[in-house]
Structures are given as C-alpha cells and as structure tokens.
Amino acid sequence: MKKYRVWIGLAVLCVIVGVPQLTWKPSRFGGIFLLALAVGCTGEWLMLRGREKYRACRVLSRAGQMLFGLFVLTFALMQVCIIGVSFEENDPSAAPKADYYLTLGALVNPDGQPSAALAARCDAAIGVLNANQDSRAILCGGQGGDEPRTEAEAMQDYMVSHGADPERLILEDASSTTIENIANAKKLLPEGASVAVITNDYHLARARRLLAHAGLGDAGVPAKTPYPSQWAAVRCREYCSIMGLILTGRW
C-alpha cells in the first residue's frame, strides 16, 4: 500500500505544480513536462495495483520503476554537471573577452517589449559591451508566430534605450532556433574574429556546445534567469533539449 500512495502522491504533486505553469508561456513547457510525469506516475500506480493478477502488470511495473530511476539520475546529473547551478551576481568585467558577442533571442511580449528573459540577455550584453569598448554584439532572433516583431529588433530598441551604441549592434533577424541563431550569426562574422555567446544561465551550456560545433569556440556569458518560479520550468525544458542532442549524437 505504501508504494501505491507514493506513486499517486507524486502524480498529484506534479499536477498541482504543473497546471499553474500552463497559463504562462515562458514556463508552459515545464507544466507539460510535469503533467507528463504525472501520467507516468499514474501508470505506475495502476501497474502496481494489477501486478498480483497480471504478469504483464508486474513486468511493466518493474520497467516503469527502472525508467523513473534512470530519469531521476540523469536529470540530477545534468542539472549539476552540465547546466550547473549558480546564484552569484554577474560581473561583466570578468566575462570572456571577444570581438563579437552573439546575444541569443527569446520571447517578445505582445506589446513588442522583450520578455524578462530576453531583457536579462540584453542587460548582460550591455554590460560586456561597456567593459569591452572595441567589441560589437550580434542580436539574434527572428519573429515567432505569436510575436509582434522580430526578437532582434526588440533587443536593439531595448539596448539603445538603455545606453548601447547602435553602431555596435548587428541584427540577425531570420533565425528561430539556437542552432539557426549561431549558423546565421556566423555568416556575419569577419575572418578570425573571436566570439562569445550570451544567453540565460540555464541555456548557456547548450549554447556553448552548439557554438563549439560551429567552430567558434565555447566562450559564454551568462544572464540571470529572471524569476524564481521559472527556474525549475526552464531546466525541465533544457533537460529535454540536451537529451535530444545526446541521443541523436549532436552533443
């Protein structure tokens, strides 16, 4: 009976935490992720209930517990060893020196302003540009189906309004994924230019890996994840993205 209660308890907890996440786009994937876990835990609960009568339930129950254990292990290792956990304040003067800083796009709000995550990336870019007077920033990001303008344009307006020199900003406004951000930005770089990528801290490990695959080194500058409530949701999304790269041999 204790095992029954554990699995159904986990399912209920995932639903309670996951459903509110669905109402806010930046954390929506995290809500879907938690609801998928709730479905899995409910399935394990059902298999445990039927294992005394049905051999198939016993087999599926064992398989489910092994898969859940593997998930917990890989999730924990990825958070600590790959994505990392950092609560320290950013220091632009300590950031890697580069000729060009690839600032990756993120959601633009319906009013045309950068989302909190995108504003954090812009703030980090302003900081490193101020600390490296000869550098420039490439602002990456096209227009999503639910965005009123391109991410690159929203970033440019935000940064200029916060003191950035528009002559030091280059727009790449045709990409829709991190891989496209980097591939399109690479075409704008002069031969031999040094590069660093700027993105939110949870996303930096994957961005640096993709930057290295593009032959541009692996220097990166982290921007803060803006909301504590978003912290877990975005790391769930990043777990899935990194696992996808690992399983397809692109990591």
Side-chain angles (χ1 to χ4, degrees):
M1 288 299 293
K2 285 185 178 180
K3 284 188 177 181
Y4 298 166
R5 289 196 295 268
V6 167
W7 289 106
I8 202 63
L10 284 173
V12 170
L13 178 62
C14 288
V15 169
I16 291 173
V17 176
V19 168
Q21 305 284 342
L22 298 176
T23 62
W24 188 38
K25 186 173 180 178
S27 64
R28 189 168 297 158
F29 185 92
I32 296 171
F33 185 91
L34 289 170
L35 292 180
L37 280 180
V39 171
C41 291
T42 302
E44 180 63 27
W45 174 70
L46 291 172
M47 293 304 100
L48 284 171
R49 284 177 61 87
R51 66 179 181 174
E52 299 299 330
K53 292 184 179 180
Y54 306 105
R55 182 175 181 274
C57 288
R58 291 196 297 274
V59 173
L60 290 173
S61 173
R62 294 192 190 100
Q65 291 176 34
M66 290 177 63
L67 287 174
F68 186 80
L70 183 61
F71 157 71
V72 171
L73 178 62
T74 57
F75 188 87
L77 288 174
M78 190 173 295
Q79 301 309 311
V80 175
C81 300
I82 297 180
I83 299 175
V85 180
S86 175
F87 299 98
E88 296 180 2
E89 291 298 322
N90 296 323
D91 180 5
S93 64
K97 307 296 181 184
D99 298 321
Y100 290 84
Y101 290 94
L102 274 56
T103 310
L104 304 186
L107 179 69
V108 173
N109 290 328
D111 62 0
Q113 297 300 309
S115 61
L118 184 53
R121 299 180 189 190
C122 292
D123 290 338
I126 293 170
V128 295
L129 288 178
N130 289 339
N132 302 274
Q133 292 297 319
D134 294 328
S135 64
R136 303 182 73 184
I138 299 180
L139 312 181
C140 304
Q143 182 175 358
D146 56 351
E147 294 177 316
R149 61 195 305 208
T150 68
E151 295 165 6
E153 290 172 341
M155 295 161 74
Q156 180 187 43
D157 286 351
Y158 177 93
M159 290 177 65
V160 170
S161 69
H162 285 74
D165 180 357
E167 296 298 321
R168 299 173 66 192
L169 306 179
I170 303 170
L171 273 63
E172 182 288 295
D173 57 4
S175 57
S176 59
T177 66
T178 302
I179 292 175
E180 289 180 0
N181 287 164
I182 295 172
N184 291 349
K186 184 178 180 179
K187 298 173 184 177
L188 303 175
L189 295 169
E191 187 73 24
S194 58
V195 179
V197 64
I198 299 175
T199 188
N200 297 107
D201 48 13
Y202 69 87
H203 184 226
L204 190 61
R206 179 160 59 100
R208 290 177 61 193
R209 176 68 72 164
L210 294 174
L211 192 72
H213 275 297
L216 298 174
D218 66 348
V221 180
K224 286 294 181 183
T225 300
Y227 302 113
S229 60
Q230 196 179 356
W231 193 89
V234 293
R235 281 163 172 73
C236 291
R237 182 177 65 191
E238 203 60 19
Y239 169 81
C240 293
S241 297
I242 292 174
M243 284 300 296
L245 292 176
I246 291 174
L247 294 175
T248 55
R250 295 178 293 163
W251 181 253

